[in-house]
Every structure is written in C-alpha cells, then in structure tokens.
Amino acid sequence: MVAGAMRAIPAAEGGAIELLDGHELEYCSAHGTLAVHLGLRLPLTGSGAAHSVTTRTPYLMFDASTDPHVQRDLIGTLQLGSAVFAPILRGDGVLGVLKLQSHRPIAFDKRDLDLVSLFAGAATSGLTEAASQAEARAKDVYWRGLFDRLSEGFIVGEVVRDGRGRAIDWRHVEVNPAWGELLGLEAATVAGRTVREVFPGIEDAWVSQFVQVVETGQGATFTRQIGAIRRWYEGRAFKLDGDRFGVIFLEVTQRIEADTRRAALLALGDRLRDLTNIPEMIRAAAEIVGRTLGASRAGFGRIVGAVEEIEIEPDWTAPGVASIAGRHVFSDYGDIRGHLRRGEALVIADVMTDPRTCTDPRPMLDLGIGALVNMPVRDRGHTVAVFIAQDSKSRVWTSEEMGFLRNVADRVEVGVARVRAEELQAVLNKELAHRLKNTLAIVQSIATQTLRGVTERHLVEAFERRVLALSRAHDVLMQKSWTAAKMRAVMESVLSMQVDLDRFALDGPDLDISPQAALSLSLLLHELATNALKYGALSADTGKVRIAWRTEAEKAPTLVLDWTESGGPAVAAPSDRGGFGSKLIRMGLVGTRSANLRYDAVGLQAEFRAPLADMQVQIH
C-alpha cells in the first residue's frame, strides 16, 4: 500500500506506515528514502506523525524547518523537507499513521493530502483483515473496499498493444461503482472492454496520455472532455506495474462550462463594442454561442408580423451543417408561436417527442434540427426578434445554458440599439452640417449685399475670410460628429486658405480638441496667418512659419502653442491697439488672454497658453 500511495503521489520520495505501540510509533513498512529506517521507533511527541495520531486528523507539513511539531534533529536524520500524514483509524482507536515525505519544502498540496487519506482509510481494512486472513484475501478485501468506498471514479487499466508492440488502446481491468455514476454507464458492463469499445470515436488524448504514463513512469494530471457524452473530467493517472496504470477522477462539467460561458460573454462584449455593422454583430454573437454551447447552428432572426414568420440573418453553422438563413413560416414547423408571442423562450429538447412538434417533426428534421432554443428579444412589449440555438440531436438545455442565451440576446439587443442610434445620429449630424453650412453661406451673402456700398473693401474681405475660417473648422469637426476634432487637421484646413502648407512647419502631438477649442484655434491661426501674409514672414518668398505645440505639467496640465516667423522682414509692434484681428490674437486660445507677443527683427514670436482641460473634450 505504501508503494501504491507513492506511485499515486509522484512528489513522494519516501513513504512509511508507522504503527502505534504503547507510547511509541514504529516504522513497520518503509519505502524510498525511508527504507533505511525500517524498525525505527520514535516517541509519541515531536513529529508530524505523532501530531496526526494524537489529533486523529490528516496533516499537511509544508516546511519541516518551520513546522512547530517537528524536532529539529529529525530533519537531517530523515532527510525531511515536507510531508503528508493520514491517521489509520479502526473504530474509536488509532492503529498508526501513513506518511509520505520529500526532501523539498512545499512538495505537496491539499489534493495530495486527500489522496493519502484515501489510502489510509483503506489501510484500516487491510490491517484488520491481516490479523485473521491470508495475505491474498486481505489484499483483495483492501482493493475492493477502496474501490467501493470512493466517491471519486477509480480505474485500473492496461495498455493494449498491436503485433509490433505499439500501444493502440487500453482495457478496463477494474472500475469502481463511482465510475459508472460519473460516466452514466453500468460499471459491471465495461470490465475487459477497451476504452475505444466503450466510447467509439473517443478523443485520442484519452489513450495517448495514459500510454505515456505507463511508458515513462511519470504521473499526469488532466482536465479533458469525452465529446461523445459531453462531460468533462479532472483527475490524475499513475503507473502501477507492467502495462497497468491507475486513474482517479471527478466530473467537472459544470465548472468548465461555467468558465467557458463566462469567458464567452466577455469576448462577446469586446467584439460587440468594436463592431459598427449590425450583420457583423449578429454573426459574431452567433459564432460565440454556437462554439460555446457546442451547438450545430446559431443565429438571429427578425419577427415578421404577429409572430407569423421569421427572417433569419446569415447564421453560424458547425462544419457540414447547412445554413437556414432566409424567411420561414412558423406554422410550417408545429405549434411553436405561443411562447414567443408571450415573450417566453421556446425550448424543445427533442422535436420527435415534444408535443408542439411531434405530430409532424419532418420539417424540423429536414433542416437538421433535433433540439432548439428560440430566445425572444422584446421591444415595447412585443417580440421583435429571436436568438436561435439548435442541435442536430436531441438535447436537454440546462438552466445555465438558458441564462447564457438570455445574456447574449440582451447584449445583442443593446448592441443593435447602439448602432441604430449612431446611424440616426450620423443622419442628424449630416442634416445639421448641411443646414449650418447653408446658414454660413446666407450670412456671407447677406454681408456681401449689405456691405456692397462700403468703400473700405479690405474690411469686408476680412469679414468674409473669418466666416470661411469658421466654415473650415466646422468641416473638420463634422469628421467626428461635432464631438471633437484633430488639432493638426484644424490647423491644415485653416492655414491652407492663405498660402501653400509647405510654408508652415507643424510640430506637436495630434490631440483631440473640443468643438469650442477648434473654433477658437481656427480664428487665432487665421488672424496670425493674415498678418504674416501682409506684414511678416509670409510676405517674403523665403519666409517660413513654425507652429509648435506641447503640453506642460504645471499646477494643472497646460497646452503651450508657439508661433515663430523667420525669413521675412523685420516687424514692429502696432502703434495702437489695432483692430478686431489684433483683439482676437490677444484673446489667445479659448479666451484665456494668455498671449505673449514679441516683435523681433527676425519676425513675430508668439506663445499662447491654455489649460489642457479647456482644450480637450470632457468625458462625463
């Protein structure tokens, strides 16, 4: 039993059964690194084994060097780094303890402790029978008792080889009753049959991994599905002797499927957030549903009339399954409209037996539908669409799967509503842009007619150019639906009205700025460029203007914009406060009046500052 426990727990380097004799524990069976200590007697104090015996509880020793129950002189003697102990009980008494150890600290975990406890429990039967029966009978009772008591599934298997010695399958030598409960089969019917005979088409990994355990002697843990029965199992396999191995396992289907559904909903949220096209959103959701539920087909359909017909969008299908996209009449497939009209999910586990479809299941079967769920999408109290999941075979849809489908339907409903709202907003923005441009054109036309008799034409032209600068800023803002504008695009649009852009050097991060900031920046740059064209660098063929902007971290983040002219004539400050254009320049960005103007011999040098928060879009 000690050797079997060590094979089941690969971290164990040594193992022993210490039996209680008076006030001492004696090493009555020892293997591995503890083999040399066979017969060693230790007092019932100062060891992990003594602690397990006196408390009658299993004990996991993570690190012997810090454990409060270990005498320090035993650590070196026993090469003890960490260990697991399980008391061997008989009725109200304690017979001893089963111990597995390693020279490494933290070599064992809670699963190892549970497993050694199983072996210790079986040891009670083995030790009791040993006193009155032959060794062979005692072993048989021990193993049979272990198998029968375990709530975990337990297999003793043997590798099957072909004529050339190549492993091709494995045979069930023994299975315990729990095996049958966990796999939904009668345990007595599988002894002597291979795993491929019991589960035709089973995944190759169910053979290859256990063959590897036998051929390498290394234990292995696994979490894997048997696709034929749609159940997931988690366990550990370990070598026994020859071509035989043992497997202890539990079913973890609910946990795995819950994790899968949770991950699928997160992935769906990411996909829907990035998509702006309703058919693409529906296809993305259908694919995630189909793959997550292992369905044969998934899709989305729009209700026509009072749940009379359904128009199914291009759907997701498993390989080899045909699409059913297109229009279908509900009454052709049975009495299946009532639930959807009431806003309830239509759930059919088997079209052959369900009372709503069993009268004539052929239309469903012809489409490859053995089971289905139609999850309604409601609007103002009416079913307007359904999310569809179908399986080619009969299938019981769990409450967890139904909840998952409801979550998907809700997310698709919200996503579709968002896209439609954005499409409507785009239409409204276009109409608003059209009307605003017309308004600006009317303003310009009225100004032209009104100011026709004004002799100072340069004032009229200046006004018209300012209106045009606002119009250019409006065009840039429309590219982002009047929510923001790219700073560089605003600059290029306004400056190109004056001269070729190659006369300007733009240097700075391409920030998103608010509509108010875009209009302010447009008017400011228009006035600066106009003055440069009349009096400054742009009035000379070789003149240039460098516009640089940056952010600085002061008490509050600040945007700093520098206008630097070069290659033009010397400039001087205006003799008076100037006209409206000069006032616009002194107002600076977004009306902050933070404008530092220097009229140097090489040209105008200007610095403008504004709080970054006033320049950018505020998100609430």
Side-chain angles (χ1 to χ4, degrees):
M1 185 178 64
V2 176
M6 288 179 64
R7 285 193 293 269
I9 303 177
E13 300 167 352
I17 288 181
E18 301 177 38
L19 293 183
L20 185 62
D21 185 8
H23 295 288
E24 291 183 321
L25 286 168
E26 179 182 2
Y27 279 61
C28 293
S29 177
H31 288 253
T33 57
L34 292 178
V36 297
H37 299 292
L38 185 64
L40 176 67
R41 299 177 70 89
L42 296 173
L44 200 55
T45 57
S47 69
H51 174 72
S52 181
V53 167
T54 55
T55 61
R56 299 168 54 87
T57 59
Y59 180 55
L60 174 56
M61 178 192 293
F62 286 107
D63 190 341
S65 65
T66 59
D67 192 274
H69 304 295
V70 180
Q71 293 181 7
R72 296 297 175 261
D73 57 347
L74 286 178
I75 295 175
T77 302
L78 300 178
Q79 302 178 45
L80 179 61
S82 57
V84 283
F85 308 86
I88 302 172
L89 308 174
R90 182 174 62 189
D92 296 330
V94 182
L95 299 178
V97 65
L98 171 60
K99 166 187 176 181
L100 298 180
Q101 75 167 43
S102 170
H103 78 285
R104 296 181 296 106
I106 319 177
F108 303 97
D109 57 22
K110 178 63 168 56
R111 185 180 294 179
D112 297 323
L113 185 65
D114 293 340
L115 192 54
V116 79
S117 298
L118 291 173
F119 280 88
T124 299
S125 176
L127 291 173
T128 301
E129 292 295 327
S132 58
Q133 298 184 21
E135 182 179 357
R137 176 59 180 165
K139 287 183 178 179
D140 183 66
V141 171
Y142 152 62
W143 283 110
R144 184 54 55 193
L146 175 64
F147 269 36
D148 291 344
R149 286 197 305 272
L150 283 177
S151 58
E152 295 87 348
F154 205 126
I155 298 170
V156 175
E158 184 174 41
V159 171
V160 176
R161 301 182 182 275
D162 61 16
R164 294 180 292 176
R166 184 179 57 184
I168 57 173
D169 203 346
W170 58 265
R171 179 177 293 105
H172 297 85
V173 177
E174 290 275 4
V175 298
N176 68 339
W179 179 96
E181 296 173 6
L182 292 173
L183 282 95
L185 298 172
E186 180 58 49
T189 65
V190 302
R193 298 170 64 195
T194 72
V195 69
R196 296 191 191 278
E197 291 172 341
V198 176
F199 300 105
I202 193 170
E203 295 77 3
D204 290 339
W206 283 106
V207 175
S208 60
Q209 187 170 42
F210 297 163
V211 169
Q212 185 178 23
V213 167
V214 167
E215 294 182 343
T216 65
Q218 299 295 316
T221 59
F222 60 87
T223 302
R224 191 179 300 115
Q225 185 188 45
I226 297 180
I229 58 176
R230 289 178 173 167
R231 294 188 184 183
W232 285 84
Y233 299 93
E234 180 178 83
R236 176 177 293 181
F238 48 92
K239 180 178 174 65
L240 294 174
D241 57 348
D243 272 350
R244 290 194 174 188
F245 60 92
V247 182
I248 188 167
F249 65 95
L250 287 169
E251 184 179 0
V252 291
T253 302
Q254 290 186 351
R255 189 195 79 201
I256 296 296
E257 291 183 346
D259 290 344
T260 301
R261 289 190 295 269
R262 188 159 44 248
L265 288 176
L266 291 174
L268 177 62
D270 291 340
R271 294 280 296 277
L272 294 183
R273 185 169 56 250
D274 296 336
L275 295 173
T276 58
N277 179 282
I278 291 176
E280 289 180 358
M281 296 172 69
I282 292 171
R283 283 194 293 271
E287 179 180 358
I288 287 175
V289 166
R291 295 189 186 281
T292 301
L293 298 184
S296 58
R297 187 185 290 117
F300 187 85
R302 301 190 182 282
I303 297 297
V304 180
V307 195
E308 303 293 335
E309 299 179 345
I310 182 171
E311 183 73 33
I312 298 178
E313 304 278 353
D315 47 6
W316 174 89
T317 62
V321 177
S323 171
I324 59 170
R327 181 165 294 199
H328 299 266
V329 179
F330 278 109
S331 58
D332 290 344
Y333 301 96
D335 184 17
I336 59 176
R337 292 181 294 171
H339 285 71
L340 297 179
R341 282 176 171 170
R342 294 191 298 270
E344 302 169 1
L346 172 66
V347 184
I348 296 179
D350 188 344
V351 300
M352 297 284 287
T353 59
D354 191 281
R356 293 163 293 190
T357 56
C358 64
T359 302
D360 183 14
R362 183 53 50 193
M364 288 278 195
L365 296 176
D366 287 344
L367 295 178
I369 304 173
L372 66 90
V373 174
N374 284 356
M375 186 63 67
V377 176
R378 305 277 283 176
D379 182 29
R380 297 181 180 88
H382 299 284
T383 300
V384 296
V386 293
F387 206 94
I388 301 165
Q390 299 171 350
D391 206 310
S392 57
K393 301 177 182 177
S394 61
R395 170 175 181 167
V396 176
W397 304 93
T398 67
S399 59
E400 291 80 11
E401 290 172 334
M402 297 297 295
F404 171 71
L405 281 170
R406 166 51 63 195
N407 275 324
V408 170
D410 290 344
R411 280 165 168 76
V412 171
E413 184 177 355
V414 170
V416 168
R418 172 182 62 80
V419 170
R420 286 180 174 162
E422 291 173 352
E423 291 174 347
L424 177 60
Q425 186 64 51
V427 172
L428 293 176
N429 284 341
K430 277 189 174 182
E431 180 62 20
L432 177 62
H434 177 69
R435 295 191 180 191
L436 185 55
K437 293 198 75 169
N438 285 344
T439 301
L440 289 173
I442 292 171
V443 168
Q444 196 160 20
S445 176
I446 292 173
T448 300
Q449 294 295 325
T450 304
L451 302 176
R452 178 178 296 174
V454 175
T455 57
E456 296 177 313
R457 299 310 300 171
H458 67 282
L459 296 177
V460 176
E461 292 170 356
F463 173 77
E464 291 177 344
R465 286 196 298 272
R466 286 167 183 154
V467 172
L468 182 57
L470 287 176
S471 178
R472 291 291 184 90
H474 162 264
D475 289 340
V476 174
L477 284 166
M478 275 308 303
Q479 294 174 14
K480 285 203 168 187
S481 303
W482 265 85
T483 59
K486 287 295 184 182
M487 190 165 179
R488 184 179 291 269
V490 171
M491 291 180 170
E492 292 176 347
S493 178
V494 173
L495 295 174
S496 63
M497 292 167 46
Q498 308 283 3
V499 293
D500 292 339
L501 285 176
D502 58 6
R503 302 287 297 275
F504 297 93
L506 306 182
D507 182 16
D510 199 9
L511 303 174
D512 279 330
I513 58 176
S514 68
Q516 179 187 4
L519 296 175
S520 173
L521 179 63
S522 297
L523 291 174
L524 175 63
L525 293 179
H526 172 74
E527 297 302 330
L528 287 169
T530 298
N531 287 347
L533 195 59
K534 288 181 178 180
Y535 317 111
L538 299 181
S539 66
D541 292 339
T542 58
K544 297 276 189 179
V545 177
R546 181 176 184 270
I547 306 173
W549 63 98
R550 64 189 183 279
T551 57
E552 291 183 354
E554 300 179 349
K555 291 182 179 179
T558 301
L559 177 71
V560 182
L561 186 144
D562 294 317
W563 174 281
T564 306
E565 298 183 19
S566 61
V571 294
S575 58
D576 54 19
R577 294 188 59 83
F580 181 68
S582 296
K583 291 179 181 179
L584 277 177
I585 293 173
R586 287 196 297 272
M587 287 180 64
L589 290 166
V590 290
T592 60
R593 297 189 178 276
S594 179
N596 182 13
L597 307 177
R598 301 189 308 277
Y599 296 90
D600 297 338
V602 296
L604 175 65
Q605 316 289 309
E607 179 186 87
F608 304 93
R609 289 176 171 267
L612 188 60
D614 292 348
M615 293 293 296
Q616 293 191 303
V617 178
Q618 300 299 306
I619 299 176
H620 300 283

